[in-house]
């Protein structure tokens, strides 16, 4: 299958590696043009796979049979939109990212559009990407053109199991958002590994209660204790990890907060709900982001400013 992977970071390289190994005709799409892209992925068993790919080939994009988008939520509209005019009308697009609300920022697309929610775990260093833990990828349709594309789950499953098709991908995405909306900003607030959140379970309880209110109004059947249990399971399973949001803060990058807590608060407002705990965490993370944004501005402005 002719596949383009847009966003060749940690998750993108994991998929580039898996799809290349399966014999698919894969190219990467980078922010900045380069004649080719060399990557190295180290598996959970410490086996290393290095490969050089063609990148940003518009002709290949025009013949593409699948566009897999592994950008961060906030990078997605500006990264994806310039590619749309070149992409065949029938080429499925899979958006694989954490958070929700990205499609609200996109125009209506004619291409079949899917969302993938994954618990695969990978991180990258300047020299390699490390597959840290095997996870589960749930794939489902975001528009009617994608409703009958369940065969895509099988193709992805062959490359990087497990992958399964979910007609109701909205519920899967909300459940993942619930986990991220608790763990990610709390680890920023306490500047800690995920496991240390076991010391602030009363806060976890309050956050889960607020999320359950919104999810119920979204028509998703859940309650505080179910959410609490799934959040605590992830805290324990990833105890030694630094969350992606804390890593972004430490590297002074913009975070996915607007598509995680920000989206939760946006939906709460639509239902007339007030979420004081999440609002406070949202402000906390935005404050950290604006602190380093103004630091950067200060250090890049001439001293007369
Ligand atoms: P990442 O390593 O930062 O990858 C994003 C990549 O996209 C980077 O290489 C970035 O380049 C590139 N990019 C940014 N703007 C672009 C543009 N306009 N055109 C082309 N490329 C562009 O992030 P990630 O960890 O792979 O995560 C991707 C998404 O998957 C996130 O939503 C994340 O929450 C989710 N996720 C990740 C994991 C994981 O284990 N990594 C697991 C589950 C879900 P620069 O770095 O040069 O900006
Ligand atoms: O964003 C992250 O870091 C991860 O999705 C999770 C599950 C919170 C584990 O660190």
């Amino acid at each position: 299958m002719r596949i383009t992977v847009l966003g060749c970071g940690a998750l993108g390289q994991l998929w580039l590696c898996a799809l290349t190994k399966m014999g698919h005709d894969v190219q990467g799409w980078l922010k900045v043009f380069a004649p080719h892209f060399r990557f190295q992925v180290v598996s959970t068993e410490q086996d290393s796979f290095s490969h050089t790919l063609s990148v940003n080939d518009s002709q290949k994009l025009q013949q593409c049979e699948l566009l897999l988008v592994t950008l961060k939520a906030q990078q997605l509209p500006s990264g994806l939109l310039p590619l749309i005019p070149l992409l065949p009308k029938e080429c499925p697009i899979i958006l694989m990212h954490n958070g929700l609300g990205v499609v609200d920022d996109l125009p209506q697309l004619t291409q079949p559009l899917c969302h993938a929610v994954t618990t695969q775990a990978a991180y990258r260093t300047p020299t390699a990407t490390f597959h840290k833990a095997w996870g589960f990828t749930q794939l489902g349709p975001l528009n009617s053109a994608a409703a009958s594309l369940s065969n895509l789950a099988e193709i992805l499953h062959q490359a990087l199991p497990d992958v399964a098709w979910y007609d109701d991908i909205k519920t899967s995405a909300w459940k993942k958002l619930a986990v991220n909306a608790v763990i990610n900003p709390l680890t920023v607030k306490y500047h800690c590994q995920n496991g240390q959140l076991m010391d602030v379970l009363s806060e976890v309880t309050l956050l889960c209660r607020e999320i359950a209110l919104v999810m119920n109004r979204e028509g998703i059947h859940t309650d505080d204790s179910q959410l609490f249990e799934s959040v605590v399971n992830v805290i324990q399973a990833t105890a030694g990890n630094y969350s992606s949001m804390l890593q972004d803060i430490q590297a002074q990058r913009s975070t996915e907060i607007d598509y995680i807590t920000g989206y939760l608060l946006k939906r709460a407002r639509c239902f007339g709900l007030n979420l004081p705990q999440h609002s406070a965490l949202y402000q906390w993370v935005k404050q950290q982001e604006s602190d380093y944004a103004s630091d950067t501005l200060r250090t890049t402005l001439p001293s007369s400013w």
Side-chain angles (χ1 to χ4, degrees):
M1 194 174 197
R2 292 185 294 273
I3 303 175
T4 296
V5 176
L6 166 60
C8 304
L11 195 61
Q13 288 184 34
L14 200 61
W15 280 99
L16 282 171
C17 169
L19 294 164
T20 302
K21 280 182 173 175
M22 285 306 295
H24 293 290
D25 177 3
V26 190
Q27 75 154 333
W29 201 277
L30 305 175
K31 196 164 46 179
V32 180
F33 177 78
H36 54 256
F37 176 64
R38 183 160 179 80
F39 67 92
Q40 184 187 6
V41 173
V42 180
S43 75
T44 49
E45 296 80 26
Q46 304 305 312
D47 300 320
S48 176
F49 176 84
S50 302
H51 192 68
T52 302
L53 281 176
S54 60
V55 284
N56 296 40
D57 181 332
S58 320
Q59 258 181 345
K60 280 195 169 187
L61 191 63
Q62 283 165 358
Q63 292 158 6
C64 188
E65 294 169 304
L66 173 65
L67 176 65
L68 176 60
V69 185
T70 48
L71 296 168
K72 290 196 164 180
Q74 68 274 17
Q75 300 162 341
L76 217 146
S78 63
L80 175 62
L81 287 179
L83 274 56
I84 296 297
L86 295 174
L87 202 64
K89 297 268 173 287
E90 67 286 356
C91 175
I93 305 171
I94 297 178
L95 309 180
M96 189 176 288
H97 61 84
N98 280 344
L100 273 166
V102 170
V103 277
D104 302 350
D105 298 343
L106 295 175
Q108 203 160 7
L109 301 175
T110 44
Q111 284 85 0
L113 190 63
C114 296
H115 186 184
V117 178
T118 188
T119 59
Q120 294 282 0
Y123 70 94
R124 65 186 161 124
T125 66
T127 49
T129 287
F130 294 84
H131 188 189
K132 189 136 186 270
W134 285 92
F136 180 40
T137 303
Q138 295 166 281
L139 179 68
L142 285 174
N143 63 8
S144 55
S148 60
L149 291 184
S150 59
N151 64 313
L152 283 179
E154 186 50 35
I155 293 165
L156 295 186
H157 180 77
Q158 301 287 330
L160 196 64
D162 285 339
V163 183
W165 181 260
Y166 282 70
D167 285 324
D168 180 15
I169 194 66
K170 176 181 162 182
T171 297
S172 311
W174 265 98
K175 287 183 176 167
K176 179 78 166 89
L177 180 130
V179 168
N180 288 121
V182 176
I183 298 179
N184 296 30
L186 272 185
T187 58
V188 173
K189 179 176 173 187
Y190 293 108
H191 219 82
C192 67
Q193 288 167 306
N194 295 354
Q196 289 166 274
L197 299 183
M198 291 305 283
D199 298 337
V200 292
L201 288 183
S202 54
E203 242 175 297
V204 171
T205 305
L206 295 175
L207 290 164
C208 289
R209 195 169 295 159
E210 289 185 356
I211 300 170
L213 289 175
V214 182
M215 286 177 69
N216 290 157
R217 298 294 284 271
E218 285 283 352
I220 297 167
H221 184 71
T222 190
D223 61 34
D224 319 9
S225 54
Q226 256 180 37
L227 291 182
F228 179 81
E229 200 185 315
S230 54
V231 170
V232 170
N233 282 341
V234 177
I235 289 176
Q236 289 173 329
T238 63
N241 288 17
Y242 289 97
S243 77
S244 55
M245 193 170 284
L246 180 55
Q247 288 180 43
D248 284 338
I249 290 284
Q250 283 172 332
Q252 305 207 338
R253 293 186 293 253
S254 91
T255 72
E256 295 186 295
I257 191 77
D258 284 324
Y259 294 90
I260 299 176
T261 311
Y263 185 73
L264 176 72
L265 294 173
K266 186 171 148 189
R267 294 306 298 157
R269 274 193 301 278
C270 291
F271 299 124
L273 295 168
N274 184 23
L275 310 185
Q277 300 291 326
H278 285 281
S279 300
L281 271 185
Y282 179 77
Q283 293 308 333
W284 184 284
V285 175
K286 293 303 277 184
Q287 186 59 49
Q288 307 284 308
E289 283 184 346
S290 72
D291 283 354
Y292 57 66
S294 45
D295 281 353
T296 313
L297 193 63
R298 253 196 306 278
T299 52
T300 50
L301 284 175
S303 54
S304 57
W305 281 78

